[in-house]
Amino acid sequence: MTGIRLTAPAPGWAIDADVVVVGSGVAGLTTALRCAAAGLDTVVVTKARLDDGSTRWAQGGIAAALGEGDTPEQHLDDTLVAGAGLCDEEAVRVLVTEGPDAVRRLITTGATFDTTDSGDIALTREGGHHRRRIAHAGGDATGAEISRALVEAVRSAALNTIENALVLDLLTDAEGRTAGVSLHVMGEGQHDGVGAVRAPSVVLATGGMGQVFSATTNPSVSTGDGVALALRAGAEVSDLEFVQFHPTVLFLGADSEGQQPLVSEAVRGEGAHLVDAAGTRFMLGQHELAELAPRDIVAKAITRQMHEHGTEHMYLDARHFGARMWEQRFPTILAACRAHGIDPVTEPVPVAPAAHYASGGIRTDLRGRTTVPGLYACGEVACTGVHGANRLASNSLLEGLVFAERIAADIAETRPPRTEPAEAAGEGSDEPVALLAPEARTAIQRTMTRGAGVLRSAASLATAAEELEALHRSAAADADAADPKDAVPGVDAWEVTNLLLVSRVLVAAAREREETRGCHWREDRPDRDDEHWRRHLVVRIAPDRTPVVDRTETAAFPPVRPAD
């Protein structure tokens, strides 16, 4: 344990449970439903409303070997190729073999997928897949349908939910084992202010950290809170340098910041072309799958074209779809484009890469267990080894489903006893973290976009590290001053402090990895180096709050705990 906690008031209220699940996307709600079905007293904590997580923004779909002629083995092969030598093959095998039945159980929970005229699930292709294996709903609203079904199931089961709550820190007992979480409810709901949910099992399903960059497809709640909490609690994270930039995000202008509209990979799966301003396709000859190459390859190709042409975007041309296909297959994307004055039925869509998905995260084993006893992680916040250096399209929803069920089964099997927290997170903590002022958020995002975006180099990463450390030192110095002007504890200050911690760790790992692999692209190290770098980087935070980066000896992950 690091003894490091956010500066926050001591909890003023508490409730007890067997399990607390933090997050309400596909990973969190599936875990909660399975735990409750096993008879465990389960509490769901979510930062906004139950249906406001990243899951509902997923357009493309969920990948599984459900089609005629497709097999889990073929799905495994495509996933390993996309992961660029760093996938954990055992984890991928779990994903692809347990995935089809997990999708069928999701359907029995209430999710409705689009079907063919014969009544079979309609399947499409996306980048990196050699088969049609992407199930979708509402054309391009798959995440919204999955979220709807799971939220309805949670409400029907009358699970205890705490909405509008930012989780602050992990509570542990005298033995260092998980004993719950502290959290702040934002002025709404049954509780208000800082409190605690005391439980021997905590499942982090908090989603991504896309808000560390200026432009992202992630919602505003994706500020890396789960990764930051786990780091402060002493957990290990891995592969954080592998941030996937979605290649086709609607370009709204060079100064656009925050969440940007996604143009799903499924549009290319149905035959859209990437072209330059002259209408010339540039993916032909770059990869055997052309526009359907893995995302890192497409993002790099677009970026190269932008540099060569001196432009800020390329185009996605799907005018040949016609109005009917756009309206039936991609109604969400069509509406988003038209809302910004672009009609994809009659004109190419301007697109550019933007931060999309964290392939790395809190390191877990195949049961979702982290290096802190009693703490689990699932979904985008976790690093199970499935994604390697670059996530295969539409594997994310499947990973959330499969590993959520495994986590629930592990908790139900072990049923750890409730214990008392050794101390509540608050002003009396050993090492309260000096909070940043909320206005530092923009500075962090711009630093990360310039220095650790799609294109990286030793120089850009060194500058980013220096700027981030300056923010860290400034906050610490102000907190120690005789007349401190440090930020007042509150949601904005806690979020930006989490963003800084996650950014520092990401940059530390990116500086260490001196090669180009997957979605980590070093301009100064353009080649993949399997001899030295087919390894994972495991990072933890030392008690002095500096990132400690260790390289594994092989491409395999070490056990999460010595007893494993």
Side-chain angles (χ1 to χ4, degrees), residues 247-248 268 273-287 290-291 297-306 308-309 311 313-317 351-353:
T248 54
R268 281 176 283 134
H273 302 145
L274 284 164
V275 299
D276 60 22
T280 303
R281 290 178 66 182
F282 55 83
M283 285 304 300
L284 295 175
Q286 301 239 7
H287 189 275
E291 280 89 356
I297 293 171
V298 180
K300 290 170 188 175
I302 292 174
T303 303
R304 284 193 193 99
Q305 290 292 318
M306 287 160 51
E308 288 177 13
H309 290 269
T311 61
H313 62 83
M314 288 286 115
Y315 293 94
L316 188 66
D317 192 352
V351 293

mmCIF file of all heavy atoms in Angstrom, residues 247-248 268 273-287 290-291 297-306 308-309 311 313-317 351-353:
data_model
loop_
_atom_site.group_PDB
_atom_site.id
_atom_site.type_symbol
_atom_site.label_atom_id
_atom_site.label_comp_id
_atom_site.label_asym_id
_atom_site.label_seq_id
_atom_site.Cartn_x
_atom_site.Cartn_y
_atom_site.Cartn_z
ATOM 1 N N PRO A 247 -9.285 6.020 -36.009
ATOM 2 C CA PRO A 247 -8.846 6.741 -37.211
ATOM 3 C C PRO A 247 -9.904 7.670 -37.799
ATOM 4 O O PRO A 247 -9.549 8.667 -38.441
ATOM 5 C CB PRO A 247 -8.492 5.615 -38.192
ATOM 6 C CG PRO A 247 -9.191 4.403 -37.682
ATOM 7 C CD PRO A 247 -9.297 4.560 -36.205
ATOM 8 N N THR A 248 -11.189 7.354 -37.611
ATOM 9 C CA THR A 248 -12.211 8.150 -38.297
ATOM 10 C C THR A 248 -13.162 8.805 -37.290
ATOM 11 O O THR A 248 -14.231 8.284 -36.990
ATOM 12 C CB THR A 248 -13.003 7.285 -39.297
ATOM 13 O OG1 THR A 248 -13.525 6.130 -38.625
ATOM 14 C CG2 THR A 248 -12.110 6.836 -40.439
ATOM 15 N N ARG A 268 -16.740 1.764 -42.765
ATOM 16 C CA ARG A 268 -15.740 1.188 -43.664
ATOM 17 C C ARG A 268 -16.010 -0.293 -43.893
ATOM 18 O O ARG A 268 -15.746 -0.833 -44.974
ATOM 19 C CB ARG A 268 -14.335 1.396 -43.090
ATOM 20 C CG ARG A 268 -13.800 2.796 -43.330
ATOM 21 C CD ARG A 268 -12.454 3.015 -42.675
ATOM 22 N NE ARG A 268 -12.583 3.233 -41.251
ATOM 23 C CZ ARG A 268 -11.842 2.649 -40.311
ATOM 24 N NH1 ARG A 268 -10.906 1.781 -40.666
ATOM 25 N NH2 ARG A 268 -12.024 2.927 -39.050
ATOM 26 N N HIS A 273 -14.767 4.402 -48.422
ATOM 27 C CA HIS A 273 -13.358 4.545 -48.789
ATOM 28 C C HIS A 273 -12.734 5.748 -48.103
ATOM 29 O O HIS A 273 -13.379 6.787 -47.941
ATOM 30 C CB HIS A 273 -13.224 4.730 -50.310
ATOM 31 C CG HIS A 273 -13.804 3.611 -51.100
ATOM 32 N ND1 HIS A 273 -14.426 3.801 -52.322
ATOM 33 C CD2 HIS A 273 -13.877 2.283 -50.844
ATOM 34 C CE1 HIS A 273 -14.852 2.633 -52.786
ATOM 35 N NE2 HIS A 273 -14.531 1.699 -51.915
ATOM 36 N N LEU A 274 -11.465 5.608 -47.735
ATOM 37 C CA LEU A 274 -10.697 6.749 -47.241
ATOM 38 C C LEU A 274 -10.011 7.409 -48.425
ATOM 39 O O LEU A 274 -9.312 6.735 -49.206
ATOM 40 C CB LEU A 274 -9.667 6.301 -46.204
ATOM 41 C CG LEU A 274 -10.235 5.988 -44.820
ATOM 42 C CD1 LEU A 274 -9.230 5.198 -43.993
ATOM 43 C CD2 LEU A 274 -10.621 7.272 -44.099
ATOM 44 N N VAL A 275 -10.193 8.714 -48.548
ATOM 45 C CA VAL A 275 -9.640 9.431 -49.702
ATOM 46 C C VAL A 275 -9.019 10.754 -49.254
ATOM 47 O O VAL A 275 -9.321 11.268 -48.183
ATOM 48 C CB VAL A 275 -10.733 9.724 -50.766
ATOM 49 C CG1 VAL A 275 -11.333 8.421 -51.288
ATOM 50 C CG2 VAL A 275 -11.829 10.621 -50.194
ATOM 51 N N ASP A 276 -8.162 11.299 -50.103
ATOM 52 C CA ASP A 276 -7.623 12.629 -49.853
ATOM 53 C C ASP A 276 -8.533 13.677 -50.503
ATOM 54 O O ASP A 276 -9.601 13.341 -51.044
ATOM 55 C CB ASP A 276 -6.181 12.740 -50.348
ATOM 56 C CG ASP A 276 -6.038 12.482 -51.840
ATOM 57 O OD1 ASP A 276 -7.045 12.622 -52.585
ATOM 58 O OD2 ASP A 276 -4.918 12.155 -52.279
ATOM 59 N N ALA A 277 -8.117 14.925 -50.493
ATOM 60 C CA ALA A 277 -8.973 16.005 -51.006
ATOM 61 C C ALA A 277 -9.257 15.849 -52.491
ATOM 62 O O ALA A 277 -10.285 16.324 -52.987
ATOM 63 C CB ALA A 277 -8.321 17.361 -50.738
ATOM 64 N N ALA A 278 -8.377 15.143 -53.204
ATOM 65 C CA ALA A 278 -8.579 14.929 -54.640
ATOM 66 C C ALA A 278 -9.457 13.718 -54.929
ATOM 67 O O ALA A 278 -9.743 13.423 -56.095
ATOM 68 C CB ALA A 278 -7.233 14.771 -55.335
ATOM 69 N N GLY A 279 -9.856 13.005 -53.868
ATOM 70 C CA GLY A 279 -10.689 11.829 -54.047
ATOM 71 C C GLY A 279 -9.914 10.548 -54.287
ATOM 72 O O GLY A 279 -10.492 9.515 -54.638
ATOM 73 N N THR A 280 -8.604 10.572 -54.061
ATOM 74 C CA THR A 280 -7.762 9.396 -54.296
ATOM 75 C C THR A 280 -7.717 8.500 -53.061
ATOM 76 O O THR A 280 -7.413 8.961 -51.957
ATOM 77 C CB THR A 280 -6.326 9.833 -54.653
ATOM 78 O OG1 THR A 280 -6.367 10.692 -55.792
ATOM 79 C CG2 THR A 280 -5.449 8.617 -54.944
ATOM 80 N N ARG A 281 -8.020 7.215 -53.235
ATOM 81 C CA ARG A 281 -7.910 6.260 -52.120
ATOM 82 C C ARG A 281 -6.433 6.032 -51.797
ATOM 83 O O ARG A 281 -5.617 5.842 -52.698
ATOM 84 C CB ARG A 281 -8.568 4.928 -52.486
ATOM 85 C CG ARG A 281 -10.081 4.997 -52.590
ATOM 86 C CD ARG A 281 -10.653 3.644 -52.994
ATOM 87 N NE ARG A 281 -10.454 2.627 -51.974
ATOM 88 C CZ ARG A 281 -10.839 1.343 -52.099
ATOM 89 N NH1 ARG A 281 -11.408 0.945 -53.244
ATOM 90 N NH2 ARG A 281 -10.645 0.475 -51.142
ATOM 91 N N PHE A 282 -6.098 6.073 -50.493
ATOM 92 C CA PHE A 282 -4.687 5.926 -50.127
ATOM 93 C C PHE A 282 -4.398 4.684 -49.297
ATOM 94 O O PHE A 282 -3.245 4.422 -48.956
ATOM 95 C CB PHE A 282 -4.183 7.177 -49.385
ATOM 96 C CG PHE A 282 -4.994 7.566 -48.175
ATOM 97 C CD1 PHE A 282 -4.784 6.959 -46.941
ATOM 98 C CD2 PHE A 282 -5.968 8.544 -48.279
ATOM 99 C CE1 PHE A 282 -5.525 7.324 -45.827
ATOM 100 C CE2 PHE A 282 -6.708 8.929 -47.173
ATOM 101 C CZ PHE A 282 -6.493 8.316 -45.944
ATOM 102 N N MET A 283 -5.422 3.878 -48.950
ATOM 103 C CA MET A 283 -5.161 2.649 -48.194
ATOM 104 C C MET A 283 -4.853 1.469 -49.102
ATOM 105 O O MET A 283 -4.342 0.453 -48.639
ATOM 106 C CB MET A 283 -6.359 2.313 -47.300
ATOM 107 C CG MET A 283 -6.492 3.197 -46.071
ATOM 108 S SD MET A 283 -5.006 3.214 -45.013
ATOM 109 C CE MET A 283 -4.834 1.486 -44.560
ATOM 110 N N LEU A 284 -5.160 1.591 -50.393
ATOM 111 C CA LEU A 284 -4.851 0.500 -51.323
ATOM 112 C C LEU A 284 -3.334 0.315 -51.400
ATOM 113 O O LEU A 284 -2.586 1.266 -51.580
ATOM 114 C CB LEU A 284 -5.403 0.834 -52.715
ATOM 115 C CG LEU A 284 -6.936 0.927 -52.822
ATOM 116 C CD1 LEU A 284 -7.332 1.380 -54.218
ATOM 117 C CD2 LEU A 284 -7.569 -0.421 -52.494
ATOM 118 N N GLY A 285 -2.888 -0.925 -51.225
ATOM 119 C CA GLY A 285 -1.462 -1.210 -51.260
ATOM 120 C C GLY A 285 -0.760 -1.041 -49.923
ATOM 121 O O GLY A 285 0.390 -1.467 -49.765
ATOM 122 N N GLN A 286 -1.432 -0.429 -48.931
ATOM 123 C CA GLN A 286 -0.820 -0.242 -47.605
ATOM 124 C C GLN A 286 -1.004 -1.469 -46.716
ATOM 125 O O GLN A 286 -0.220 -1.711 -45.814
ATOM 126 C CB GLN A 286 -1.447 0.978 -46.914
ATOM 127 C CG GLN A 286 -1.297 2.271 -47.671
ATOM 128 C CD GLN A 286 -0.552 3.325 -46.858
ATOM 129 O OE1 GLN A 286 -0.035 3.067 -45.790
ATOM 130 N NE2 GLN A 286 -0.483 4.520 -47.407
ATOM 131 N N HIS A 287 -2.100 -2.222 -46.984
ATOM 132 C CA HIS A 287 -2.411 -3.404 -46.176
ATOM 133 C C HIS A 287 -3.355 -4.270 -46.987
ATOM 134 O O HIS A 287 -4.139 -3.762 -47.799
ATOM 135 C CB HIS A 287 -3.058 -2.986 -44.852
ATOM 136 C CG HIS A 287 -3.207 -4.111 -43.865
ATOM 137 N ND1 HIS A 287 -4.291 -4.969 -43.884
ATOM 138 C CD2 HIS A 287 -2.418 -4.507 -42.834
ATOM 139 C CE1 HIS A 287 -4.156 -5.848 -42.889
ATOM 140 N NE2 HIS A 287 -3.033 -5.596 -42.248
ATOM 141 N N ALA A 290 -6.812 -3.117 -46.814
ATOM 142 C CA ALA A 290 -7.061 -1.712 -47.214
ATOM 143 C C ALA A 290 -7.712 -0.942 -46.067
ATOM 144 O O ALA A 290 -7.134 -0.865 -44.973
ATOM 145 C CB ALA A 290 -7.896 -1.665 -48.486
ATOM 146 N N GLU A 291 -8.907 -0.376 -46.309
ATOM 147 C CA GLU A 291 -9.567 0.433 -45.259
ATOM 148 C C GLU A 291 -9.928 -0.367 -44.019
ATOM 149 O O GLU A 291 -10.207 0.205 -42.967
ATOM 150 C CB GLU A 291 -10.839 1.094 -45.819
ATOM 151 C CG GLU A 291 -10.597 2.345 -46.632
ATOM 152 C CD GLU A 291 -10.362 2.091 -48.092
ATOM 153 O OE1 GLU A 291 -10.305 0.892 -48.487
ATOM 154 O OE2 GLU A 291 -10.245 3.064 -48.860
ATOM 155 N N ILE A 297 -2.911 0.868 -37.946
ATOM 156 C CA ILE A 297 -2.380 1.031 -39.303
ATOM 157 C C ILE A 297 -3.149 2.121 -40.048
ATOM 158 O O ILE A 297 -2.562 2.970 -40.734
ATOM 159 C CB ILE A 297 -2.445 -0.316 -40.050
ATOM 160 C CG1 ILE A 297 -1.467 -1.307 -39.389
ATOM 161 C CG2 ILE A 297 -2.133 -0.144 -41.538
ATOM 162 C CD1 ILE A 297 -1.581 -2.720 -39.882
ATOM 163 N N VAL A 298 -4.465 2.127 -39.894
ATOM 164 C CA VAL A 298 -5.284 3.138 -40.573
ATOM 165 C C VAL A 298 -5.010 4.526 -39.991
ATOM 166 O O VAL A 298 -4.870 5.509 -40.729
ATOM 167 C CB VAL A 298 -6.781 2.790 -40.478
ATOM 168 C CG1 VAL A 298 -7.624 3.849 -41.175
ATOM 169 C CG2 VAL A 298 -7.056 1.420 -41.097
ATOM 170 N N ALA A 299 -4.911 4.625 -38.667
ATOM 171 C CA ALA A 299 -4.649 5.924 -38.033
ATOM 172 C C ALA A 299 -3.301 6.488 -38.475
ATOM 173 O O ALA A 299 -3.169 7.687 -38.751
ATOM 174 C CB ALA A 299 -4.691 5.798 -36.515
ATOM 175 N N LYS A 300 -2.300 5.620 -38.560
ATOM 176 C CA LYS A 300 -0.984 6.072 -39.005
ATOM 177 C C LYS A 300 -1.022 6.520 -40.463
ATOM 178 O O LYS A 300 -0.398 7.524 -40.833
ATOM 179 C CB LYS A 300 0.043 4.944 -38.825
ATOM 180 C CG LYS A 300 0.371 4.638 -37.368
ATOM 181 C CD LYS A 300 1.188 3.366 -37.257
ATOM 182 C CE LYS A 300 1.349 2.951 -35.804
ATOM 183 N NZ LYS A 300 2.046 1.654 -35.674
ATOM 184 N N ALA A 301 -1.757 5.774 -41.301
ATOM 185 C CA ALA A 301 -1.841 6.133 -42.720
ATOM 186 C C ALA A 301 -2.521 7.483 -42.900
ATOM 187 O O ALA A 301 -2.071 8.310 -43.704
ATOM 188 C CB ALA A 301 -2.597 5.048 -43.481
ATOM 189 N N ILE A 302 -3.586 7.721 -42.155
ATOM 190 C CA ILE A 302 -4.273 9.016 -42.234
ATOM 191 C C ILE A 302 -3.340 10.131 -41.776
ATOM 192 O O ILE A 302 -3.254 11.203 -42.408
ATOM 193 C CB ILE A 302 -5.560 8.998 -41.392
ATOM 194 C CG1 ILE A 302 -6.587 8.062 -42.028
ATOM 195 C CG2 ILE A 302 -6.146 10.410 -41.256
ATOM 196 C CD1 ILE A 302 -7.841 7.857 -41.188
ATOM 197 N N THR A 303 -2.634 9.892 -40.681
ATOM 198 C CA THR A 303 -1.730 10.907 -40.151
ATOM 199 C C THR A 303 -0.615 11.219 -41.142
ATOM 200 O O THR A 303 -0.240 12.382 -41.345
ATOM 201 C CB THR A 303 -1.142 10.446 -38.803
ATOM 202 O OG1 THR A 303 -2.215 10.161 -37.900
ATOM 203 C CG2 THR A 303 -0.263 11.525 -38.192
ATOM 204 N N ARG A 304 -0.074 10.185 -41.782
ATOM 205 C CA ARG A 304 0.972 10.408 -42.790
ATOM 206 C C ARG A 304 0.430 11.261 -43.939
ATOM 207 O O ARG A 304 1.103 12.175 -44.416
ATOM 208 C CB ARG A 304 1.467 9.068 -43.337
ATOM 209 C CG ARG A 304 2.401 8.309 -42.410
ATOM 210 C CD ARG A 304 3.090 7.176 -43.159
ATOM 211 N NE ARG A 304 3.755 6.257 -42.237
ATOM 212 C CZ ARG A 304 3.242 5.099 -41.846
ATOM 213 N NH1 ARG A 304 2.061 4.717 -42.291
ATOM 214 N NH2 ARG A 304 3.899 4.324 -41.006
ATOM 215 N N GLN A 305 -0.764 10.932 -44.394
ATOM 216 C CA GLN A 305 -1.362 11.700 -45.490
ATOM 217 C C GLN A 305 -1.573 13.156 -45.085
ATOM 218 O O GLN A 305 -1.328 14.081 -45.875
ATOM 219 C CB GLN A 305 -2.704 11.067 -45.892
ATOM 220 C CG GLN A 305 -2.588 9.729 -46.579
ATOM 221 C CD GLN A 305 -1.960 9.824 -47.963
ATOM 222 O OE1 GLN A 305 -2.270 10.722 -48.734
ATOM 223 N NE2 GLN A 305 -1.073 8.893 -48.271
ATOM 224 N N MET A 306 -2.003 13.377 -43.854
ATOM 225 C CA MET A 306 -2.201 14.740 -43.369
ATOM 226 C C MET A 306 -0.882 15.508 -43.400
ATOM 227 O O MET A 306 -0.828 16.671 -43.805
ATOM 228 C CB MET A 306 -2.802 14.707 -41.955
ATOM 229 C CG MET A 306 -4.267 14.288 -41.925
ATOM 230 S SD MET A 306 -4.851 13.690 -40.304
ATOM 231 C CE MET A 306 -4.345 14.989 -39.209
ATOM 232 N N GLU A 308 1.818 14.807 -45.266
ATOM 233 C CA GLU A 308 2.296 14.970 -46.638
ATOM 234 C C GLU A 308 1.544 16.072 -47.372
ATOM 235 O O GLU A 308 2.128 16.815 -48.170
ATOM 236 C CB GLU A 308 2.154 13.645 -47.393
ATOM 237 C CG GLU A 308 3.147 12.580 -46.962
ATOM 238 C CD GLU A 308 2.920 11.262 -47.672
ATOM 239 O OE1 GLU A 308 2.156 11.247 -48.671
ATOM 240 O OE2 GLU A 308 3.502 10.253 -47.248
ATOM 241 N N HIS A 309 0.239 16.189 -47.103
ATOM 242 C CA HIS A 309 -0.587 17.169 -47.800
ATOM 243 C C HIS A 309 -0.676 18.502 -47.050
ATOM 244 O O HIS A 309 -1.251 19.462 -47.582
ATOM 245 C CB HIS A 309 -1.992 16.612 -48.015
ATOM 246 C CG HIS A 309 -2.069 15.494 -49.009
ATOM 247 N ND1 HIS A 309 -2.309 15.685 -50.352
ATOM 248 C CD2 HIS A 309 -1.910 14.154 -48.859
ATOM 249 C CE1 HIS A 309 -2.313 14.521 -50.977
ATOM 250 N NE2 HIS A 309 -2.071 13.570 -50.091
ATOM 251 N N THR A 311 -2.477 19.077 -44.390
ATOM 252 C CA THR A 311 -3.883 19.288 -44.028
ATOM 253 C C THR A 311 -4.147 18.752 -42.627
ATOM 254 O O THR A 311 -3.327 18.050 -42.043
ATOM 255 C CB THR A 311 -4.818 18.586 -45.024
ATOM 256 O OG1 THR A 311 -4.547 17.168 -44.988
ATOM 257 C CG2 THR A 311 -4.613 19.098 -46.427
ATOM 258 N N HIS A 313 -7.025 16.996 -41.876
ATOM 259 C CA HIS A 313 -7.939 15.861 -41.921
ATOM 260 C C HIS A 313 -7.884 15.197 -43.289
ATOM 261 O O HIS A 313 -7.347 15.755 -44.250
ATOM 262 C CB HIS A 313 -9.379 16.305 -41.613
ATOM 263 C CG HIS A 313 -9.931 17.295 -42.604
ATOM 264 N ND1 HIS A 313 -10.477 16.921 -43.807
ATOM 265 C CD2 HIS A 313 -9.996 18.646 -42.585
ATOM 266 C CE1 HIS A 313 -10.866 17.988 -44.482
ATOM 267 N NE2 HIS A 313 -10.582 19.057 -43.765
ATOM 268 N N MET A 314 -8.439 13.999 -43.391
ATOM 269 C CA MET A 314 -8.696 13.323 -44.658
ATOM 270 C C MET A 314 -10.218 13.177 -44.788
ATOM 271 O O MET A 314 -10.966 13.798 -44.034
ATOM 272 C CB MET A 314 -7.991 11.968 -44.704
ATOM 273 C CG MET A 314 -6.478 12.071 -44.857
ATOM 274 S SD MET A 314 -5.970 12.548 -46.545
ATOM 275 C CE MET A 314 -5.241 14.141 -46.220
ATOM 276 N N TYR A 315 -10.671 12.333 -45.721
ATOM 277 C CA TYR A 315 -12.108 12.188 -45.948
ATOM 278 C C TYR A 315 -12.514 10.718 -45.972
ATOM 279 O O TYR A 315 -11.736 9.840 -46.392
ATOM 280 C CB TYR A 315 -12.504 12.821 -47.287
ATOM 281 C CG TYR A 315 -12.353 14.319 -47.324
ATOM 282 C CD1 TYR A 315 -11.173 14.902 -47.807
ATOM 283 C CD2 TYR A 315 -13.379 15.155 -46.894
ATOM 284 C CE1 TYR A 315 -11.024 16.272 -47.856
ATOM 285 C CE2 TYR A 315 -13.232 16.539 -46.939
ATOM 286 C CZ TYR A 315 -12.058 17.095 -47.423
ATOM 287 O OH TYR A 315 -11.920 18.456 -47.451
ATOM 288 N N LEU A 316 -13.732 10.470 -45.536
ATOM 289 C CA LEU A 316 -14.360 9.160 -45.655
ATOM 290 C C LEU A 316 -15.501 9.308 -46.659
ATOM 291 O O LEU A 316 -16.436 10.092 -46.435
ATOM 292 C CB LEU A 316 -14.880 8.689 -44.302
ATOM 293 C CG LEU A 316 -15.382 7.247 -44.236
ATOM 294 C CD1 LEU A 316 -14.231 6.272 -44.450
ATOM 295 C CD2 LEU A 316 -16.047 6.975 -42.883
ATOM 296 N N ASP A 317 -15.408 8.581 -47.751
ATOM 297 C CA ASP A 317 -16.371 8.733 -48.843
ATOM 298 C C ASP A 317 -17.308 7.534 -48.883
ATOM 299 O O ASP A 317 -16.898 6.412 -49.186
ATOM 300 C CB ASP A 317 -15.625 8.871 -50.174
ATOM 301 C CG ASP A 317 -16.549 9.316 -51.307
ATOM 302 O OD1 ASP A 317 -17.779 9.375 -51.088
ATOM 303 O OD2 ASP A 317 -16.033 9.605 -52.403
ATOM 304 N N VAL A 351 -12.537 13.527 -41.669
ATOM 305 C CA VAL A 351 -12.212 12.711 -40.504
ATOM 306 C C VAL A 351 -10.747 12.885 -40.121
ATOM 307 O O VAL A 351 -9.898 13.190 -40.965
ATOM 308 C CB VAL A 351 -12.500 11.208 -40.732
ATOM 309 C CG1 VAL A 351 -13.993 10.956 -40.885
ATOM 310 C CG2 VAL A 351 -11.737 10.684 -41.948
ATOM 311 N N ALA A 352 -10.449 12.666 -38.841
ATOM 312 C CA ALA A 352 -9.080 12.683 -38.322
ATOM 313 C C ALA A 352 -9.030 11.794 -37.093
ATOM 314 O O ALA A 352 -10.053 11.591 -36.428
ATOM 315 C CB ALA A 352 -8.652 14.111 -37.970
ATOM 316 N N PRO A 353 -7.876 11.231 -36.752
ATOM 317 C CA PRO A 353 -7.781 10.391 -35.556
ATOM 318 C C PRO A 353 -7.998 11.193 -34.267
ATOM 319 O O PRO A 353 -7.628 12.365 -34.173
ATOM 320 C CB PRO A 353 -6.342 9.849 -35.617
ATOM 321 C CG PRO A 353 -5.941 9.973 -37.049
ATOM 322 C CD PRO A 353 -6.621 11.223 -37.532
#
